[in-house]
Amino acid sequence: MNEILQALVKRRSIRRFTSEKVTREQIETILEAGRFAPSGKNSQPWRFIVVESDERRAELAKLVPQKGMVAAAPVTLAVLLDHDAGYDELKDAQGIGAAIENILLAVHALGLGACWMGVARDEAIETLVEAREGEELMAIIPIGHPAESPTGSPRRPLPEIVRFI
Ligand SMILES: Cc1cc2nc3c(=O)[nH]c(=O)nc-3n(C[C@H](O)[C@H](O)[C@H](O)COP(=O)(O)O)c2cc1C
């Protein structure tokens, strides 16, 4: 099967990480994937904050429901929506989703693991990551070397979710 198609099917959320670091080069590759996502009017309303210092990661872990996952990940991305760059709340959010999926696929392609966490619109985290005026938290993505290989993640069969007309 084509590598991209295989990655789409094989990618899984990874919630447990080893202590091995993620390199700066890997982080840049992942961010490039996010940067090339499609967005309405090509507005590119996403902003990415790389939370990598031990101190900030520990503080961030205290502010999320799944503390262990964020504490263990050597790096966590905060994905923000810059409302000054965007033009339509719904379409901006859709573009952010596309960027996050690109990021997840790049992580997978590098043999790393990540989990899209729906931690959003959280003022305490926005302050911690030094979000600027007009920027709103949309998600956080802990990234690291996988310490698990989840397989079960069932999907609804096509006939249940598709209609041909
Ligand atoms: C918008 C969104 C929010 C999510 N939030 C969380 C979360 O807060 N915590 C978590 O463990 N997984 C979260 N997930 C991951 C989903 O649980 C996961 O993608 C889904 O169960 C399918 O599993 P898979 O990613 O392994 O294919 C989120 C996914 C999306 C798209």
Side-chain angles (χ1 to χ4, degrees), residues 27-39 44-48 77 79 95-107 141:
I27 294 169
E28 284 171 3
T29 300
I30 291 162
L31 294 169
E32 278 291 86
R35 189 165 79 92
F36 273 90
S39 58
Q44 303 165 59
W46 41 71
R47 300 291 177 265
F48 307 120
L77 295 185
V79 182
I96 296 279
I100 295 173
E101 178 66 357
N102 270 16
I103 285 169
L104 296 181
L105 290 170
V107 165
I141 312 174

Short mmCIF file of all heavy atoms in Angstrom, two decimals, residues 27-39 44-48 77 79 95-107 141:
data_model
loop_
_atom_site.label_atom_id
_atom_site.label_comp_id
_atom_site.label_asym_id
_atom_site.label_seq_id
_atom_site.Cartn_x
_atom_site.Cartn_y
_atom_site.Cartn_z
N ILE A 27 11.54 17.86 15.77
CA ILE A 27 10.48 18.84 16.08
C ILE A 27 10.25 19.76 14.88
O ILE A 27 9.11 20.06 14.51
CB ILE A 27 10.85 19.66 17.34
CG1 ILE A 27 10.86 18.75 18.57
CG2 ILE A 27 9.87 20.81 17.55
CD1 ILE A 27 11.46 19.39 19.82
N GLU A 28 11.35 20.15 14.24
CA GLU A 28 11.20 21.05 13.09
C GLU A 28 10.49 20.35 11.93
O GLU A 28 9.66 20.96 11.23
CB GLU A 28 12.57 21.59 12.67
CG GLU A 28 13.03 22.66 13.64
CD GLU A 28 14.46 23.12 13.44
OE1 GLU A 28 15.11 22.64 12.48
OE2 GLU A 28 14.93 23.94 14.25
N THR A 29 10.77 19.07 11.72
CA THR A 29 10.09 18.31 10.67
C THR A 29 8.59 18.25 10.96
O THR A 29 7.74 18.43 10.07
CB THR A 29 10.66 16.88 10.59
OG1 THR A 29 12.05 16.96 10.30
CG2 THR A 29 9.97 16.04 9.54
N ILE A 30 8.26 18.03 12.22
CA ILE A 30 6.85 17.94 12.64
C ILE A 30 6.15 19.29 12.44
O ILE A 30 5.02 19.36 11.93
CB ILE A 30 6.79 17.49 14.13
CG1 ILE A 30 7.26 16.04 14.25
CG2 ILE A 30 5.41 17.69 14.71
CD1 ILE A 30 7.66 15.62 15.65
N LEU A 31 6.83 20.36 12.81
CA LEU A 31 6.24 21.70 12.66
C LEU A 31 6.06 22.06 11.19
O LEU A 31 5.07 22.71 10.81
CB LEU A 31 7.11 22.74 13.37
CG LEU A 31 7.17 22.60 14.89
CD1 LEU A 31 8.26 23.50 15.47
CD2 LEU A 31 5.82 22.93 15.52
N GLU A 32 7.00 21.63 10.35
CA GLU A 32 6.88 21.88 8.91
C GLU A 32 5.62 21.21 8.36
O GLU A 32 4.93 21.77 7.51
CB GLU A 32 8.11 21.33 8.16
CG GLU A 32 9.30 22.26 8.19
CD GLU A 32 9.05 23.51 7.37
OE1 GLU A 32 8.47 24.47 7.92
OE2 GLU A 32 9.42 23.53 6.19
N ALA A 33 5.34 20.01 8.85
CA ALA A 33 4.14 19.30 8.41
C ALA A 33 2.89 20.09 8.79
O ALA A 33 1.95 20.22 8.00
CB ALA A 33 4.10 17.89 9.01
N GLY A 34 2.89 20.65 9.98
CA GLY A 34 1.76 21.47 10.41
C GLY A 34 1.64 22.72 9.55
O GLY A 34 0.54 23.11 9.13
N ARG A 35 2.76 23.31 9.22
CA ARG A 35 2.80 24.56 8.45
C ARG A 35 2.21 24.39 7.06
O ARG A 35 1.69 25.33 6.48
CB ARG A 35 4.25 25.01 8.36
CG ARG A 35 4.48 26.37 7.80
CD ARG A 35 5.89 26.82 8.09
NE ARG A 35 6.88 26.25 7.20
CZ ARG A 35 7.29 26.80 6.06
NH1 ARG A 35 6.78 27.95 5.69
NH2 ARG A 35 8.22 26.24 5.32
N PHE A 36 2.31 23.19 6.51
CA PHE A 36 1.85 22.97 5.15
C PHE A 36 0.40 22.48 5.07
O PHE A 36 -0.08 22.11 3.99
CB PHE A 36 2.79 22.01 4.41
CG PHE A 36 3.93 22.78 3.79
CD1 PHE A 36 5.10 22.99 4.49
CD2 PHE A 36 3.80 23.32 2.52
CE1 PHE A 36 6.14 23.72 3.94
CE2 PHE A 36 4.83 24.06 1.96
CZ PHE A 36 6.00 24.26 2.66
N ALA A 37 -0.30 22.53 6.17
CA ALA A 37 -1.71 22.11 6.15
C ALA A 37 -2.54 23.11 5.33
O ALA A 37 -2.17 24.28 5.20
CB ALA A 37 -2.24 22.03 7.57
N PRO A 38 -3.66 22.65 4.81
CA PRO A 38 -4.56 23.59 4.13
C PRO A 38 -5.31 24.44 5.15
O PRO A 38 -5.53 24.01 6.29
CB PRO A 38 -5.53 22.65 3.38
CG PRO A 38 -5.54 21.39 4.20
CD PRO A 38 -4.18 21.27 4.82
N SER A 39 -5.69 25.65 4.73
CA SER A 39 -6.52 26.49 5.60
C SER A 39 -7.40 27.36 4.72
O SER A 39 -7.02 27.71 3.59
CB SER A 39 -5.65 27.36 6.52
OG SER A 39 -4.79 28.18 5.76
N GLN A 44 -3.77 30.39 7.33
CA GLN A 44 -2.75 29.79 8.22
C GLN A 44 -2.87 30.36 9.65
O GLN A 44 -1.92 30.93 10.18
CB GLN A 44 -1.35 30.06 7.64
CG GLN A 44 -1.20 29.53 6.22
CD GLN A 44 0.01 30.07 5.49
OE1 GLN A 44 1.14 29.89 5.95
NE2 GLN A 44 -0.22 30.76 4.37
N PRO A 45 -4.04 30.19 10.26
CA PRO A 45 -4.29 30.85 11.54
C PRO A 45 -3.66 30.15 12.74
O PRO A 45 -3.85 30.56 13.87
CB PRO A 45 -5.82 30.81 11.64
CG PRO A 45 -6.19 29.55 10.94
CD PRO A 45 -5.21 29.40 9.81
N TRP A 46 -2.90 29.06 12.49
CA TRP A 46 -2.31 28.30 13.58
C TRP A 46 -1.04 28.95 14.10
O TRP A 46 -0.29 29.60 13.37
CB TRP A 46 -1.97 26.88 13.11
CG TRP A 46 -1.38 26.86 11.73
CD1 TRP A 46 -0.14 27.28 11.34
CD2 TRP A 46 -2.03 26.43 10.53
NE1 TRP A 46 0.02 27.13 9.99
CE2 TRP A 46 -1.12 26.60 9.46
CE3 TRP A 46 -3.30 25.90 10.26
CZ2 TRP A 46 -1.43 26.28 8.14
CZ3 TRP A 46 -3.60 25.59 8.94
CH2 TRP A 46 -2.67 25.76 7.90
N ARG A 47 -0.82 28.79 15.36
CA ARG A 47 0.45 29.16 15.99
C ARG A 47 0.85 27.97 16.86
O ARG A 47 0.00 27.36 17.52
CB ARG A 47 0.31 30.42 16.87
CG ARG A 47 -0.17 31.65 16.10
CD ARG A 47 0.88 32.18 15.11
NE ARG A 47 0.38 33.32 14.33
CZ ARG A 47 -0.17 33.24 13.11
NH1 ARG A 47 -0.29 32.05 12.51
NH2 ARG A 47 -0.60 34.31 12.48
N PHE A 48 2.14 27.65 16.85
CA PHE A 48 2.63 26.48 17.57
C PHE A 48 3.61 26.92 18.65
O PHE A 48 4.55 27.67 18.36
CB PHE A 48 3.34 25.49 16.62
CG PHE A 48 2.50 25.10 15.43
CD1 PHE A 48 2.94 25.35 14.14
CD2 PHE A 48 1.28 24.47 15.59
CE1 PHE A 48 2.18 24.99 13.04
CE2 PHE A 48 0.51 24.10 14.48
CZ PHE A 48 0.97 24.36 13.20
N LEU A 77 3.43 20.11 22.20
CA LEU A 77 3.08 21.28 21.39
C LEU A 77 1.76 21.85 21.88
O LEU A 77 0.81 21.10 22.13
CB LEU A 77 2.89 20.90 19.92
CG LEU A 77 4.08 20.37 19.13
CD1 LEU A 77 3.67 20.19 17.66
CD2 LEU A 77 5.25 21.30 19.24
N VAL A 79 -1.15 24.15 20.44
CA VAL A 79 -1.62 24.65 19.15
C VAL A 79 -2.65 25.75 19.43
O VAL A 79 -3.64 25.51 20.12
CB VAL A 79 -2.25 23.53 18.30
CG1 VAL A 79 -2.70 24.07 16.94
CG2 VAL A 79 -1.27 22.37 18.13
N GLY A 95 -9.18 24.44 9.84
CA GLY A 95 -7.78 24.50 9.41
C GLY A 95 -6.84 24.04 10.51
O GLY A 95 -5.85 23.33 10.26
N ILE A 96 -7.16 24.42 11.73
CA ILE A 96 -6.33 23.99 12.87
C ILE A 96 -6.38 22.46 12.97
O ILE A 96 -5.35 21.80 13.21
CB ILE A 96 -6.86 24.60 14.19
CG1 ILE A 96 -6.75 26.12 14.17
CG2 ILE A 96 -6.16 23.99 15.40
CD1 ILE A 96 -5.42 26.71 14.48
N GLY A 97 -7.55 21.88 12.74
CA GLY A 97 -7.67 20.42 12.77
C GLY A 97 -6.80 19.77 11.70
O GLY A 97 -6.15 18.74 11.95
N ALA A 98 -6.78 20.39 10.52
CA ALA A 98 -5.94 19.85 9.44
C ALA A 98 -4.47 19.91 9.84
O ALA A 98 -3.71 18.97 9.60
CB ALA A 98 -6.18 20.64 8.16
N ALA A 99 -4.06 21.01 10.46
CA ALA A 99 -2.66 21.15 10.89
C ALA A 99 -2.31 20.09 11.93
O ALA A 99 -1.23 19.49 11.89
CB ALA A 99 -2.42 22.55 11.44
N ILE A 100 -3.24 19.86 12.83
CA ILE A 100 -2.97 18.87 13.89
C ILE A 100 -2.85 17.48 13.28
O ILE A 100 -1.95 16.71 13.63
CB ILE A 100 -4.07 18.92 14.98
CG1 ILE A 100 -4.02 20.26 15.70
CG2 ILE A 100 -3.88 17.76 15.97
CD1 ILE A 100 -5.16 20.49 16.70
N GLU A 101 -3.72 17.14 12.34
CA GLU A 101 -3.61 15.82 11.71
C GLU A 101 -2.29 15.69 10.95
O GLU A 101 -1.64 14.64 11.02
CB GLU A 101 -4.81 15.57 10.79
CG GLU A 101 -4.78 14.24 10.04
CD GLU A 101 -4.90 12.99 10.93
OE1 GLU A 101 -4.95 13.11 12.16
OE2 GLU A 101 -4.93 11.88 10.37
N ASN A 102 -1.88 16.75 10.24
CA ASN A 102 -0.56 16.71 9.57
C ASN A 102 0.54 16.43 10.59
O ASN A 102 1.46 15.66 10.34
CB ASN A 102 -0.27 18.05 8.88
CG ASN A 102 -0.76 18.09 7.45
OD1 ASN A 102 -1.56 17.26 7.05
ND2 ASN A 102 -0.28 19.06 6.69
N ILE A 103 0.45 17.10 11.73
CA ILE A 103 1.45 16.92 12.79
C ILE A 103 1.47 15.47 13.28
O ILE A 103 2.52 14.85 13.40
CB ILE A 103 1.16 17.91 13.94
CG1 ILE A 103 1.59 19.31 13.51
CG2 ILE A 103 1.84 17.48 15.24
CD1 ILE A 103 1.13 20.42 14.43
N LEU A 104 0.28 14.93 13.51
CA LEU A 104 0.21 13.55 13.99
C LEU A 104 0.80 12.57 12.99
O LEU A 104 1.48 11.60 13.36
CB LEU A 104 -1.24 13.16 14.29
CG LEU A 104 -1.96 13.92 15.41
CD1 LEU A 104 -3.38 13.39 15.57
CD2 LEU A 104 -1.22 13.83 16.73
N LEU A 105 0.56 12.83 11.71
CA LEU A 105 1.08 11.92 10.68
C LEU A 105 2.60 12.06 10.55
O LEU A 105 3.30 11.07 10.35
CB LEU A 105 0.38 12.19 9.34
CG LEU A 105 -1.08 11.75 9.31
CD1 LEU A 105 -1.78 12.26 8.06
CD2 LEU A 105 -1.21 10.23 9.41
N ALA A 106 3.11 13.28 10.70
CA ALA A 106 4.57 13.47 10.66
C ALA A 106 5.22 12.77 11.85
O ALA A 106 6.26 12.12 11.71
CB ALA A 106 4.90 14.96 10.68
N VAL A 107 4.60 12.89 13.01
CA VAL A 107 5.10 12.20 14.21
C VAL A 107 5.19 10.71 13.94
O VAL A 107 6.21 10.06 14.20
CB VAL A 107 4.17 12.49 15.41
CG1 VAL A 107 4.44 11.53 16.56
CG2 VAL A 107 4.32 13.94 15.87
N ILE A 141 -0.46 18.69 22.24
CA ILE A 141 -0.05 17.42 21.64
C ILE A 141 1.26 16.96 22.29
O ILE A 141 2.35 17.41 21.90
CB ILE A 141 0.18 17.56 20.11
CG1 ILE A 141 -1.00 18.28 19.45
CG2 ILE A 141 0.41 16.20 19.48
CD1 ILE A 141 -0.80 18.58 17.96
#
